[in-house]
Amino acid sequence: MKDNAAALIQLDRVDKRYSNGTVALREMSLSIARGDFVSLLGPSGCGKSTALRMMASLLQPSSGAIRWPGDKTGAEAHARDISFVFQEPTLMPWATVFENVYLPQRLAGLSRARATDDVKAALALVGLSRFADVYPRELSGGMKMRVSIARAMVTRPRLLLMDEPFAALDEMTRAKLNDDVRKLWSDLGLTVVFVTHNVWEAVYLSTRVVVMAARPGRVIEDIPIDGPQQRAEAFRTTSVYTDQCVRVTQSLKETLSHADVDH
Ligand SMILES: Nc1ncnc2c1ncn2[C@@H]1O[C@H](COP(=O)(O)OP(=O)(O)OP(=O)(O)O)[C@@H](O)[C@H]1O
Ligand SMILES: [Mg+2]
């Protein structure tokens, strides 16, 4: 794959075979540009989480390479510029919202005094400034997820990786968090890779939707998404939006029919 100066991270023919022999990904190539909002969409087991974990250097490819073309400092250095948000908020129940958001800074050796401004800024980003002293049990599911996002943002990452972050939330909360993540991305010039099973969510959020198939996990289609930079609820009722949802659904259906033929 040719180096692309605008690319933040590239997967170049990455294979991932787990020790039990499962081929989670085969020849996955993907270039993520700075400022992209890329959703990985595909059936269960197609390697979405595996791809994300390799981008975060939590897993190593079995073959192929992961590159950061604009920078020569190496993957280790980049690990510090990356934050991860999982489906479960994974908050410490015995600690306040402030303490939970402070955790990455604490682990990096920053004193509470030095980290306080960053923690406050991260809480403000997700609209939880007034909840710093509250414990997780006092929060709704959506608010817990906001704390999890604040904890991810406190280190000011360049790349935010999100693995089905809103799958467990009700529709209204999910739609609100979609707007908030899209705004964070737009306001801060972030690069986001977002894993979801939900076509409507993927199209609403993304600049590109990458459709994957399983057994072995691979990229089937990389679909650019049209839409205004500022998206709000009204976008969901436009034909630009619904037409693209139909288009992406069609691509996803094809991945399932491939799987049927295989088995
Ligand atoms: N640690 C592991 N050891 C062995 N096999 C694994 C491991 N983790 C994942 N797999 C397998 O690798 C394949 C890809 O898994 P992965 O979790 O990346 O898929 P996914 O697209 O995230 O699925 P889902 O939508 O269910 O979250 C699956 O067949 C899975 O069973
Ligand atoms: Mg997964």
Side-chain angles (χ1 to χ4, degrees):
M1 182 188 278
K2 265 179 66 185
D3 268 10
N4 168 358
L8 180 65
I9 180 169
Q10 286 181 329
L11 279 67
D12 186 1
R13 287 188 289 156
V14 166
D15 283 4
K16 180 65 195 179
R17 177 188 293 271
Y18 284 106
S19 53
N20 65 359
T22 302
V23 180
L25 288 172
R26 182 171 294 162
E27 299 231 329
M28 178 164 180
S29 290
L30 183 66
S31 182
I32 311 271
R34 283 168 214 285
D36 258 347
F37 196 126
V38 176
S39 286
L40 305 183
L41 182 75
S44 193
C46 71
K48 303 180 295 296
S49 297
T50 300
L52 228 53
R53 287 162 66 202
M54 286 197 292
M55 288 180 206
S57 302
L58 298 172
L59 272 182
Q60 296 309 311
S62 307
S63 67
I66 295 186
R67 300 204 174 87
W68 296 80
D71 203 302
K72 306 298 172 213
T73 47
E76 306 278 294
H78 292 295
R80 292 192 292 274
D81 281 348
I82 298 172
S83 285
F84 217 125
V85 174
F86 300 93
Q87 180 172 340
E88 295 298 324
T90 60
L91 304 180
M92 303 178 289
W94 60 85
T96 62
V97 164
F98 183 98
E99 292 294 331
N100 271 285
V101 174
Y102 169 43
L103 181 69
Q105 303 287 53
R106 181 154 70 84
L107 294 176
L110 242 69
S111 70
R112 172 188 286 273
R114 280 189 55 206
T116 294
D117 285 351
D118 287 346
V119 172
K120 285 186 173 165
L123 285 173
L125 281 178
V126 299
L128 287 183
S129 294
R130 290 185 299 114
F131 293 85
D133 299 327
V134 162
Y135 286 86
R137 64 173 174 275
E138 300 170 64
L139 302 175
S140 67
M143 289 164 92
K144 283 182 192 148
M145 184 46 72
R146 284 173 195 280
V147 177
S148 177
I149 295 170
R151 183 181 54 195
M153 295 307 300
V154 75
T155 54
R156 300 180 194 187
R158 282 197 296 173
L159 177 61
L160 180 62
L161 304 174
M162 307 183 87
D163 197 350
E164 300 194 46
F166 309 142
L169 301 175
D170 65 81
E171 275 309 307
M172 294 293 287
T173 307
R174 185 176 195 154
K176 179 76 178 84
L177 277 161
N178 282 173
D179 284 341
D180 293 351
V181 164
R182 176 88 197 175
K183 185 168 186 322
L184 267 185
W185 165 79
S186 173
D187 288 354
L188 302 180
L190 272 177
T191 306
V192 179
V193 184
F194 188 97
V195 166
T196 181
H197 284 274
N198 187 305
V199 170
W200 297 272
E201 179 171 68
V203 173
Y204 188 74
L205 288 173
S206 307
T207 56
R208 284 162 61 196
V209 174
V210 173
V211 179
M212 297 174 67
R215 291 183 292 271
R218 60 209 189 275
V219 173
I220 294 294
E221 213 180 350
D222 191 334
I223 303 171
I225 302 295
D226 273 345
Q229 175 77 10
Q230 307 289 339
R231 295 182 193 173
E233 209 47 41
F235 180 55
R236 294 184 194 271
T237 56
T238 63
S239 59
V240 173
Y241 174 68
T242 53
D243 288 354
Q244 291 181 104
C245 289
V246 170
R247 160 93 177 76
V248 172
T249 302
Q250 195 56 40
S251 180
L252 191 61
K253 271 193 186 143
E254 280 164 26
T255 75
L256 298 174
S257 64
H258 285 310
D260 287 342
V261 172
D262 290 349
H263 288 82

